[in-house]
């Protein structure tokens, strides 16, 4: 045999030398849930190890992450039901605790990268990402609401905004609104290919944000489609997105690869709540080794082409990496 691929796998040093993909903590974004109040750290039943934090406890959590090199966070608000309405007015209310929290976080930790989610669902009494009328999700009337929400978030100090609503034309609309308000440096990480997936369950539990009726299939993409992701990516690129995101990640590795091959913008992948919950459940049952399966999972998303990964495992991965670096 002239060719023996095993020769390059013989020792740990040689394996390290030919390793094609490396995932550092700098590539990760940690999703965090915030709730109004104080002294709250409420575990999410369907996503063990993740919590709804009040600001005081969230600041402690962020500080802990920063000390292990994890400095990118995406923040989601769990909003009290009585503050929700049809037009999501609380989303840009100056008294909104989520906006005030962002300002406080950036003041205390200016070095962190703080990312927001732009969509109506946490604030909508209908639990939808857009405006609902007679059971229909209206596209164009939703845009001004998203625009106001985006400017309020930029004003609060968020570094990057993540429109997750899948309305047509919202990236360009938000970009223009931001620029007009003077926020030319605020980035947009667009949820470009966001699928109507069953894997968002634990997230909706965390925010109590499930649709009150119907589903999200008229705006989120059909899991059967791949070429359609190219259309979304072309539009978002033309409209001024700074990142293109694929969501979920694991069942959509082909989409991540497709966008990476066809677009120059950095590609993000959202390793969503349900995907993380599955692994946590298997590990808790003793069916999988978390410390091995978790990094293998994240590596596969990175190898498929994601430059950046949003994952509930970010903190554990950062800890693991530090352990092995010592
Ligand atoms: C809201 C939003 C969702 C997620 C991120 N932003 C839920 C949804 O679209 O219903 C899901 C994230 C996760 O499951 O971890 N627009």
């Amino acid at each position: 045999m002239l060719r023996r691929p095993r020769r390059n796998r013989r020792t740990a040093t040689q394996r390290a030398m030919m390793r094609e993909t490396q995932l550092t903590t700098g590539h990760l974004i940690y999703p965090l849930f915030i709730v109004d109040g104080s002294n709250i750290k409420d575990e999410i039943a369907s996503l063990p190890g993740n919590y709804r934090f009040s600001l005081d406890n969230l600041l402690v959590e962020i500080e802990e992450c920063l000390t292990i090199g994890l400095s990118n966070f995406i923040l989601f608000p769990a909003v009290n039901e009585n503050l929700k309405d049809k037009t999501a007015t609380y989303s840009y209310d100056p008294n909104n605790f989520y906006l005030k929290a962002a300002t406080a976080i950036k003041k205390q930790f200016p070095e962190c990268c703080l990312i927001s989610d732009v969509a109506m669902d946490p604030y909508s009494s209908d639990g939808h990402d857009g405006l609902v009328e007679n059971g229909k999700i209206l596209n164009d009337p939703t845009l001004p609401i998203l625009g106001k929400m985006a400017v309020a978030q930029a004003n609060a100090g968020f570094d990057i905004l993540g429109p997750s609503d899948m309305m047509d034309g919202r990236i360009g609309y938000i970009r223009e609104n931001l620029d007009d308000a003077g926020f030319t440096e605020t980035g947009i990480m667009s949820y470009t290919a966001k699928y109507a997936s069953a894997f968002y369950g634990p997230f909706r539990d965390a925010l109590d944000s499930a649709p009150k009726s119907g589903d999200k299939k008229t705006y989120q993409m059909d899991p059967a489609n791949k070429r359609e992701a190219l259309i979304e990516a072309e539009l978002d690129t033309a409209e001024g997105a700074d990142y293109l995101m694929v969501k979920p990640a694991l069942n959509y590795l082909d989409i991540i690869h497709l966008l990476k091959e066809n677009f120059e913008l950095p590609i993000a992948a959202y390793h969503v709540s349900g995907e993380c919950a599955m692994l946590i459940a298997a590990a808790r049952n003793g069916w999988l080794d978390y410390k091995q399966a978790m990094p293998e999972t994240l590596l596969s998303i990175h190898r498929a082409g994601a430059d950046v990964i949003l994952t509930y495992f970010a903190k554990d991965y950062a800890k693991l990496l530090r352990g092995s670096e010592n």
Side-chain angles (χ1 to χ4, degrees):
M1 264 187 268
L2 288 178
R3 305 295 310 268
R4 285 184 182 271
R6 284 188 58 190
R7 269 199 292 265
N8 286 349
R9 300 180 204 134
R10 202 168 51 88
T11 66
T13 336
Q14 290 189 52
R15 287 195 293 276
M17 194 160 62
M18 61 170 279
R19 188 159 295 138
E20 298 174 35
T21 313
Q22 237 154 28
L23 181 65
T24 69
T25 304
H27 292 112
L28 301 181
I29 300 171
Y30 193 27
L32 292 168
F33 301 104
I34 180 164
V35 67
D36 201 8
S38 61
N39 199 23
I40 301 168
K41 185 176 175 182
D42 187 10
E43 190 168 35
I44 297 150
S46 50
L47 197 58
N50 290 268
Y51 304 85
R52 284 180 217 93
F53 293 100
S54 51
L55 178 61
D56 48 354
N57 285 332
L58 189 69
L59 289 168
V60 174
E61 177 72 11
I62 290 177
E63 182 162 29
E64 219 178 285
C65 291
L66 289 171
T67 62
I68 54 170
L70 179 58
S71 49
N72 310 316
F73 307 96
I74 184 162
L75 211 56
F76 296 98
V79 178
N80 204 306
E81 204 59 39
N82 63 23
L83 292 170
K84 300 182 184 183
D85 60 22
K86 281 206 74 79
T87 51
T89 45
Y90 186 67
S91 66
Y92 49 87
D93 186 325
N95 284 320
N96 180 326
F97 74 93
Y98 174 74
L99 300 173
K100 288 201 283 193
T103 309
I105 294 165
K106 285 298 291 187
K107 185 163 175 231
Q108 190 156 338
F109 307 112
E111 71 274 33
C112 79
C113 175
L114 205 57
I115 304 164
S116 71
D117 193 79
V118 186
M120 287 175 63
D121 56 334
Y123 313 98
S124 151
S125 45
D126 292 303
H128 273 287
D129 295 18
L131 196 60
V132 184
E133 205 178 273
N134 301 325
K136 254 182 105 166
I137 318 300
L138 304 182
N139 193 89
D140 298 11
T142 298
L143 299 181
I145 299 170
L146 298 175
K148 276 187 239 173
M149 195 185 305
V151 169
Q153 292 176 352
N155 190 41
F158 281 102
D159 298 283
I160 300 177
L161 311 187
S164 69
D165 54 284
M166 290 301 279
M167 296 300 120
D168 292 336
R170 92 277 202 207
I171 299 302
Y173 192 94
I174 289 172
R175 182 72 271 161
E176 250 178 56
N177 273 230
L178 289 175
D179 290 354
D180 287 349
F183 297 109
T184 53
E185 293 191 341
T186 306
I188 297 181
M189 181 178 285
S190 174
Y191 287 63
T192 295
K194 177 173 180 179
Y195 287 88
S197 168
F199 289 85
Y200 307 147
F203 175 97
R204 293 178 188 170
D205 290 346
L207 300 192
D208 204 9
S209 64
K212 299 280 158 55
S213 68
D215 54 42
K216 299 193 174 185
K217 290 180 185 169
T218 66
Y219 46 108
Q220 299 181 348
M221 283 176 57
D222 184 338
N225 294 356
K226 181 169 175 172
R227 284 154 43 81
E228 192 184 2
L230 293 170
I231 300 176
E232 290 286 359
E234 266 166 37
L235 289 170
D236 286 359
T237 302
E239 290 175 32
D242 301 290
Y243 290 81
L244 303 176
M245 190 202 295
V246 175
K247 176 184 175 184
L250 290 178
N251 292 337
Y252 300 85
L253 293 179
D254 56 334
I255 313 299
I256 295 172
H257 183 248
L258 181 74
L259 294 198
K260 178 71 165 188
E261 295 284 294
N262 287 282
F263 292 87
E264 292 79 25
L265 285 171
I267 306 297
Y270 201 141
H271 181 217
V272 301
S273 56
E275 300 181 294
C276 293
M278 287 195 298
L279 208 157
I280 296 168
R284 289 195 167 201
N285 270 301
W287 298 339
L288 284 176
D289 179 345
Y290 181 71
K291 286 202 165 142
Q292 291 194 43
M294 185 269 283
E296 181 181 333
T297 301
L298 298 187
L299 192 68
S300 76
I301 300 169
H302 193 43
R303 193 192 59 235
D307 302 290
V308 190
I309 305 173
L310 300 89
T311 176
Y312 300 91
F313 295 158
K315 191 179 177 191
D316 284 349
Y317 186 82
K319 280 196 219 158
L320 202 69
L321 217 57
R322 277 181 93 81
S324 62
E325 275 168 354
N326 287 340

